[in-house]
Amino acid sequence: MVTPATPAYLDGWLALRMALWGEEEGDPEAVADLLAGGGAFLARDGDRVIGFAEAAIRRDYVNGCDTSPILFLEGLCTAPDYRRRGVARALVATVAEWGRAQGCTEFASDAELDNVQSHAMHHALGFVETERVVYFRQPL
């Protein structure tokens, strides 16, 4: 079952966020804006959180897209023992529905260049690769 994220399932959501992005993402304040504004969805098996998707509406330039606003998948994670069971697909479908309701006509995402598992998942979920980018910086 996929539903909007609520504080009732915060612990399970934060545990998966930490698994995906590290300890610092386990702070309840990290998700306060998502809870207030939407864009966060949880997949549950009973009371257990088995996956999450976080999305944002971006109005700036998004690589490979032609319109604005853009629905952007900021994060997606499924508990390891629930992978390859359609959880990610259900989460992405719910995010897409939410994005259409927000007026978006394009859905974008990204992945690190070496994260081939994420690339495969994106392709399996219907995303098409648009370009590859290497970012640079220089201290001033």
Side-chain angles (χ1 to χ4, degrees), residues 56-59 62 64-72 95-109 126-127 130:
I57 306 299
R58 293 192 179 184
R59 289 171 169 46
V62 174
C65 293
D66 299 319
T67 63
S68 181
I70 301 291
L71 175 62
F72 198 88
V95 169
E97 183 179 310
W98 177 76
R100 280 190 290 277
Q102 306 301 313
C104 298
T105 59
E106 289 183 281
F107 190 0
S109 183
F127 287 90
T130 60

Side-chain angles (χ1 to χ4, degrees), residues 3-61:
T3 61
T6 66
Y9 299 99
L10 189 61
D11 290 343
W13 180 17
L14 293 176
L16 285 176
R17 287 181 109 245
M18 288 188 294
L20 183 62
W21 291 314
E23 289 292 320
E24 65 279 359
E25 296 301 325
D27 182 355
E29 290 182 25
V31 297
D33 289 341
L34 290 167
L35 284 169
F41 302 90
L42 304 177
R44 298 189 339 260
D45 184 0
D47 285 337
R48 179 180 176 200
V49 176
I50 60 170
F52 79 87
E54 296 177 13
I57 306 299
R58 293 192 179 184
R59 289 171 169 46
D60 55 340
Y61 173 74

Side-chain angles (χ1 to χ4, degrees), residues 70-112:
I70 301 291
L71 175 62
F72 198 88
L73 185 63
E74 302 288 350
L76 177 66
C77 183
T78 301
D81 52 328
Y82 280 84
R83 292 184 181 155
R84 297 190 178 271
R85 294 187 186 185
V87 175
R89 185 171 303 282
L91 284 161
V92 167
T94 302
V95 169
E97 183 179 310
W98 177 76
R100 280 190 290 277
Q102 306 301 313
C104 298
T105 59
E106 289 183 281
F107 190 0
S109 183
D110 62 12
E112 297 287 331

